[in-house]
Amino acid sequence: METILQLRNINEIKKYLTHPDSCLNKTTEDQITVEKLVFKKFEELHNCLRVNENLPHIFKEQHKKFLSDSLAYLPSSYETLDASRPWLCYWILHPLSLLGVKLEDSYKNRIANFLAKCQSPNGGFGGGPGQYPHLAPTYAAVNALVILGTDMALKVINRQKLFEFLQSVKQPDGSFAMHVGGEVDIRGAYCALSVASLTGVLTKELVNNTAEWIISCQTYEGGFAGCPGLEAHGGYAFCGLAALVILNKGHMCDNQALLRWLVQKQMGLEGGFQGRTNKLVDSCYSFWQGGAFPLLYTLLTKEGITPSGHLFNEGALQEYILICCQNHQGGLVDKPGKPRDIYHSCYSISGLSIAQHFLDQKHVLSSFRNELASTHPLYNVRPDLVRKALLYFHSLPSNTAT
Amino acid sequence: MSDNSSDECDTQHVLYKNRPEWSDITPLKQNDGEHPVAAIDYTEEFEDCFDYFRAVVQKKEYSERTLELTKTAASLNPANYTVWQFRREILKALNKDLNEELEYIGKVILKQTKNYQVWHHRRIIVEWLQDPSKEKYLTEKSLSEDAKNYHAWQHRQWVIKTYNLYDGELEYVDQLLQDDVKNNSAWNQRYFVVNNTTGFTQETLNREIDYTLGKIRILMENESAWNYLRGLLLHDKGGLSRNEKVTDFCETFYEQGNRSPFLLALIVDICSEKITNNGGGDGNNVYTSARAKELCNALATQYDTIRAKYWLHISETIENQANEQNSMDESSTTN
């Protein structure tokens, strides 16, 4: 089923404008500032509709150019991401693949060769050549290689060593440290389980107590925190839920509370998601919160409640991304007024894809020209590429049986 | 972009390749392979520093000069976890004064307050010293800049929990909520403190419910307070639906014409709970499935339209619950 979604009525949106509280507070002040910027964008677009009724549209060619250029060269302002270079590859390659860009095999091999340089002799990947292995760049490198999808790229991953690295950061309580001697939080569990399940090295022993530890991160609000006791947060909630689903232990969490919290994170006026209660909208949560929905549907279905469509407002989310977050020269931003960057480009395009696809239905805002390829909500990689990698790795002999 | 103003470095930065005391080290270029990807256009200072850093990591040279080098490297990229890990290896090997290190990392944190690595470094130094005495102050300083900084709260919770420093924490949280009643991190901290100290005894529950209802009276449109209220009721023996303080509060506002989505949402969930709990047998139950469906409909079409599909989903779920309950009731009366 394919549906073109219509824009919300501007007067409906206007009703959501926040008014100053009787008691002044910073949260409300900041919220009002952002709403003004966002509402201005909506008004501008609605004025343009008289001339072109197919708006908004996605600046596909500009995004492709911005991303492709970034793959070749990044300015020195990216130095603070010098310990995240596999991330840079993933943040570029994934949105390109959702935009339907096909890279030459020779170019793919060059990227795979670079990622191979980031692989540690101790297993796992570091933030750059010669850096210690770390779970976050390991996740990013594996995903990037899976997106490249060539045999040469998939062969880069040393599975036996990867497994040893995962074992080396596993904690007795079930959690994972990000690196040897590094911090423990729920990202570790997701990154470890994601790469282990993709490459076929997930053993029972590796994930002993992990589901229980993740459950202990679900908060009274319903979302998940980075560690037990902390505040529910969009990025961590995605990690927690995705990790549980990989473990096939989704039923252990309170999914009604999670659903309630998730839907509440969608902003009434903006249409995008906030990461935490009473925080500001940010386009990256289009994926972190939006991507949790398809995972949650699988849990609801197991309980006999199959939603017939998205349970969040997928049209409003597409409005926020397309109207408020696109840079005319390509690339996407956190919110109006912010500079474009590849992290927000990756996760707003991923969130846009999530919003457009529900099972095999398509719900695209304004025009089918805005349609993107779908993404696998567990890994945030195109499902055909996930399948290809699973087939490849699971046909290899298991070398982790110890 | 990079902030290299650690106290000693205010003078013109001299590249390591031009320093005689480093002449014995051959800098190690980054091995990106033949075709670098996502290549960053490093400044000369950055490249120079990390060429030497790679060289000494490979040699595992633990010395005063490598300790100083990690300081420069960390100032150029505080997110480089390899730099911090290597720095800790040096600190241990040289048996350095950790109080000095604590002071240094404190300054770095206040400049780089949203970074995993700097807070983690701090935590490890505190663990090595077994001295948590300065941590609450540091996090308070950081939270005074941004009262919702996740890393600062994480550090604060860790130190409070590890060293049993709960004293005064509820007062601190209360102060933050007086400054900004919508500060969800502060509400979360309130839960953390109660959960780890008195627990949710009936007495504490009563006190906290009064506190929260008071805050909601000040500002109705505050999801944080409503979420906290639900969090409290998770521990109420009667669940959501049998705390009269809460139900009276809700009904009074409802009768006054208040249609805050948070208020209506709670009433919907109270209804839902009553239905599955078989209504508790009270005669004039106002928490029926019919009321829940009516409220869901009002939320979907009028008061919370952005979540229309969610409210219709909840309405359907409640209807199913009610039907199941009815058929269970029927089968129990026929038996």
Side-chain angles (χ1 to χ4, degrees), chain B residues 59-77:
Chain B
K59 290 179 58 174
K60 287 193 188 294
E61 179 185 316
Y62 302 138
S63 63
E64 288 294 335
R65 69 174 182 181
T66 57
L67 191 64
E68 187 274 340
L69 179 70
T70 57
K71 224 178 206 180
T72 309
S75 73
L76 290 166
N77 181 14

Side-chain angles (χ1 to χ4, degrees), chain A residues 84 86-87 125 133-142 165 178-179 187-188 191:
Chain A
S84 303
W87 275 118
F125 292 76
H134 185 293
L135 275 174
T138 296
Y139 165 83
V142 169
F165 169 62
M178 297 306 286
H179 60 96
R187 290 173 306 153
C191 292

